[in-house]
Amino acid sequence: MQLAKLDSIFREIWEHDGSPKEKGKAYLNPFQKWTFWLMFAFFCVAILIALSTKIEVYDWQKPSALILALMAQITGLLYQLSFVFEAFKIFKAPARHFLEPVTESSVRDFELAVSFSRFSESQLYYAKERLSLESKHMRARVSLLVGALDKVGIIPVLIAWIFASYKYIADGSITFEQIDWLVYGLLGLYLVTLPILFFVHKLERYLLLVNTAMEIKANKSSQGTQQSCVPA
């Protein structure tokens, strides 16, 4: 039997990821969706107001931009805390809370893993190593971009905002200085890391899928060997 081409593995993965069922899956509840998009909206308006000072300066620009930056941080905190608040459901139905969101997608993933068992061991091994390599590279790019910001979270942004606000209250300076731009720079980097880390999670998920396919293939080979050893 002729083996399928190697690129079919990756093609089927991105087709699986782009399927209506997968794209329509609700990863976030309504509150998380609203806080996620409000966080981006507040930041975008804040940075636009801040950049508008390069054209013409008004008294309302700096305080408005700082307030919107704070609102972006607050909604970001609420977005992250919403996942913690969901833990209260554990006391009601722990198994259902942890397993229900992943059940449907896991079934589809396993079906794809079974179909991948038609590939050779070397093809599956290469796909596994390539996905692992790409996920490590993506994490390295995040670290190169934001350093430890993805570990400490939004705290550095909040500290920079406190210093910028204190300086504004103390001397009433309308001009944007280095500490002010640091607020928007750090907040922008924080927001950029969220979709990147979400993509890394997807790479690791499909890495698990290919690993499962290798185990399924190994089990089939083992069963076939045992059957061939049984005397007629």
Side-chain angles (χ1 to χ4, degrees):
M1 185 176 94
Q2 187 177 7
L3 290 172
K5 292 183 179 179
L6 176 63
D7 63 346
S8 298
I9 296 178
F10 302 105
R11 189 181 302 278
E12 290 183 35
I13 285 176
W14 75 61
E15 287 176 354
H16 174 271
D17 186 56
S19 67
K21 286 184 179 180
E22 191 66 25
K23 291 176 74 174
K25 188 181 184 309
Y27 292 99
L28 305 174
N29 63 42
F31 178 79
Q32 291 163 350
K33 287 180 180 178
W34 273 104
T35 51
F36 182 81
W37 289 113
L38 279 174
M39 176 174 54
F40 276 95
F42 284 135
F43 170 72
C44 290
V45 178
I47 196 67
L48 285 174
I49 293 175
L51 290 173
S52 70
T53 59
K54 297 296 183 180
I55 302 172
E56 196 165 357
V57 179
Y58 296 99
D59 292 346
W60 59 268
Q61 288 167 306
K62 186 170 182 176
S64 298
L66 284 172
I67 290 171
L68 286 167
L70 178 62
M71 293 300 294
Q73 294 175 63
I74 291 173
T75 51
L77 286 170
L78 289 174
Y79 169 74
Q80 299 294 350
L81 287 172
S82 65
F83 294 96
V84 178
F85 294 152
E86 283 189 347
F88 289 111
K89 298 177 184 176
I90 297 173
F91 299 107
K92 268 175 128 179
R96 184 182 181 88
H97 170 71
F98 284 109
L99 299 179
E100 187 176 29
V102 299
T103 299
E104 187 178 347
S105 62
S106 296
V107 170
R108 293 195 301 272
D109 285 355
F110 191 79
E111 288 173 351
L112 185 58
V114 171
S115 73
F116 277 175
S117 62
R118 71 184 189 278
F119 292 97
S120 68
E121 292 180 4
S122 58
Q123 288 175 321
L124 290 172
Y125 178 79
Y126 175 82
K128 166 194 165 184
E129 292 299 310
R130 187 57 186 267
L131 288 172
S132 176
L133 180 67
E134 291 302 324
S135 64
K136 288 177 182 175
H137 280 183
M138 189 61 70
R139 284 197 180 276
R141 292 184 191 112
V142 171
S143 298
L144 183 65
L145 181 65
V146 298
L149 189 59
D150 62 322
K151 300 290 190 299
V152 297
I154 207 167
I155 295 173
V157 188
L158 185 59
I159 293 172
W161 184 91
I162 291 171
F163 279 121
S165 301
Y166 177 78
K167 192 172 184 305
Y168 170 73
I169 293 170
D171 58 18
S173 174
I174 300 172
T175 306
F176 277 78
E177 300 178 9
Q178 288 84 351
I179 187 68
D180 303 310
W181 291 113
L182 184 61
V183 175
Y184 307 105
L186 286 174
L187 184 56
L189 288 174
Y190 175 79
L191 296 180
V192 165
T193 60
L194 292 178
I196 294 176
L197 292 174
F198 177 73
F199 175 67
V200 171
H201 169 73
K202 284 208 166 191
L203 284 177
E204 292 174 345
R205 173 185 163 192
Y206 286 112
L207 174 61
L208 172 63
L209 189 149
V210 174
N211 272 326
T212 303
M214 293 178 70
E215 292 181 7
I216 292 171
K217 188 172 186 67
N219 289 336
K220 286 182 178 179
S221 299
S222 175
Q223 291 174 3
T225 302
Q226 290 176 0
Q227 289 177 357
S228 62
C229 293
V230 175

